[in-house]
Amino acid sequence: MRDLDRHISDYDLFSFVERTVTASAFGLVLLVLEAHLTLSCQIRAPSTLVINTRRHLSLFSTMAQSVPITGDVDLTDIRLQSLLGLHPTSTALSTPIRALASHATNASSSPEVKAYSDAVYFNYHSLGISLLFKPVGGYKPKTGQRRDELQEDSLELDGIDIYHSPKGGTGKVSYTTIPVNPIALELASIPGRTRPATIQVTPETTGKDFVACLGEPDRKGGGAGPSSGSIGIWCEWTKDGIMVEFGGDESRGPQAWERGKDATWKVITLFRPPIS
């Protein structure tokens, strides 16, 4: 056991972290360290051995939060709708965000935080995603608060915006395209209608593709006014918790609804469907 303790040195840990590793490798090492600590305590090993193991376990757990996830995370397996209702501190939420960052160019898993009394936004511009958190339990954040000032256990994920930059877009692009292709969105089961369980959204998915899969939208709007400056057409499928805003030249102007079937999506908003 002393040999094991001698080999689990700070140098070994940092050397290991400097290389790109997989999440499963981290899990295996953490299990070994935990087993080492348990055995050390059971046989009443020297206190220095127990202390060192605890220190290594704490150090490695901290490192695991910042090391890129590669190899064993398939972004197409991420079910974004399943994240709704989670707190910002949830590992089930932070893990896919880190996975997105590891697959994007010059990306960061640290968000731009915009806090208001009734909503808090975590904006990941370089990941093509924005998270809307709703205060719960009577909590009211102060406008302009930093993340470390927020009561994150009193925030629940209430909406997700996914971004794509279609051809023909106008104005400054604030968000890059999300690095997931295709994006799998789960669909509700509606009595009397035959629908697939999911829709696979790619950068080329158009208005007619959404309608062919989801059916006619429950709500729609936009597209009115001149070709420049008007809002793109949008459609909402309320029971699915999906709203889509379309982009490109086909989505704007007086004839937007005639040409909108060929417009590709610009923003997909996911929300929790109302309870019927």
Side-chain angles (χ1 to χ4, degrees):
M1 183 172 295
R2 290 180 181 177
D3 289 339
L4 176 61
D5 183 63
R6 188 163 54 247
H7 283 89
I8 305 177
S9 64
D10 289 346
Y11 173 80
D12 293 328
L13 289 173
F14 280 109
S15 177
F16 186 59
V17 168
E18 286 176 349
R19 300 190 298 272
T20 301
V21 298
T22 65
S24 59
F26 270 115
L28 178 60
V29 174
L30 288 173
L31 286 174
V32 171
L33 286 172
E34 289 171 352
H36 182 211
L37 177 60
T38 301
L39 183 58
S40 298
C41 294
Q42 288 177 346
I43 66 173
R44 297 183 180 181
S47 59
T48 54
L49 180 59
V50 175
I51 291 173
N52 283 340
T53 304
R54 283 176 174 160
R55 178 167 54 85
H56 292 142
L57 181 58
S58 175
L59 176 63
F60 207 84
S61 297
T62 301
M63 289 177 179
Q65 298 299 316
S66 59
V67 171
I69 300 175
T70 62
D72 58 351
V73 175
D74 187 347
L75 295 185
T76 59
D77 288 337
I78 297 176
R79 294 296 183 261
L80 293 172
Q81 288 145 304
S82 68
L83 306 179
L84 294 170
L86 296 178
H87 301 294
T89 54
S90 171
T91 303
L93 178 58
S94 61
T95 297
I97 293 297
R98 288 171 50 222
L100 288 175
S102 71
H103 286 75
T105 303
N106 298 323
S108 171
S109 58
S110 297
E112 171 197 48
V113 177
K114 297 288 187 180
Y116 305 93
S117 61
D118 59 348
V120 177
Y121 296 88
F122 280 25
N123 300 322
Y124 299 88
H125 295 273
S126 60
L127 302 182
I129 193 170
S130 176
L131 308 180
L132 164 62
F133 292 94
K134 177 181 67 175
V136 295
Y139 173 52
K140 287 190 176 183
K142 294 181 180 179
T143 299
Q145 279 188 312
R146 302 188 309 271
R147 180 170 184 177
D148 59 3
E149 297 173 324
L150 296 171
Q151 298 178 23
E152 296 194 350
D153 288 342
S154 298
L155 297 174
E156 287 185 357
L157 185 58
D158 198 49
I160 302 173
D161 284 342
I162 309 166
Y163 292 88
H164 166 237
S165 299
K167 295 180 180 179
T170 59
K172 182 180 179 180
V173 178
S174 177
Y175 288 84
T176 61
T177 297
I178 187 171
V180 182
N181 183 24
I183 303 168
L185 300 180
E186 298 175 353
L187 305 182
S189 176
I190 300 178
R193 293 178 57 182
T194 302
R195 315 171 83 208
T198 62
I199 178 174
Q200 303 291 327
V201 180
T202 73
E204 291 75 36
T205 302
T206 63
K208 63 182 177 183
D209 295 327
F210 279 101
V211 172
C213 185
L214 279 69
E216 289 296 325
D218 300 300
R219 299 173 62 236
K220 60 184 180 181
S227 297
S228 61
S230 65
I231 184 174
I233 59 176
W234 58 268
C235 299
E236 178 183 294
W237 290 267
T238 309
K239 297 180 180 64
D240 297 301
I242 298 173
M243 186 175 78
V244 182
E245 179 186 343
F246 297 91
D249 296 333
E250 298 89 351
S251 69
R252 299 184 301 273
Q255 296 181 322
W257 284 105
E258 286 75 18
R259 296 180 288 116
K261 61 182 177 61
D262 296 318
T264 54
W265 66 279
K266 180 181 179 181
V267 184
I268 297 176
T269 299
L270 306 177
F271 57 92
R272 288 184 281 190
I275 300 175
S276 55

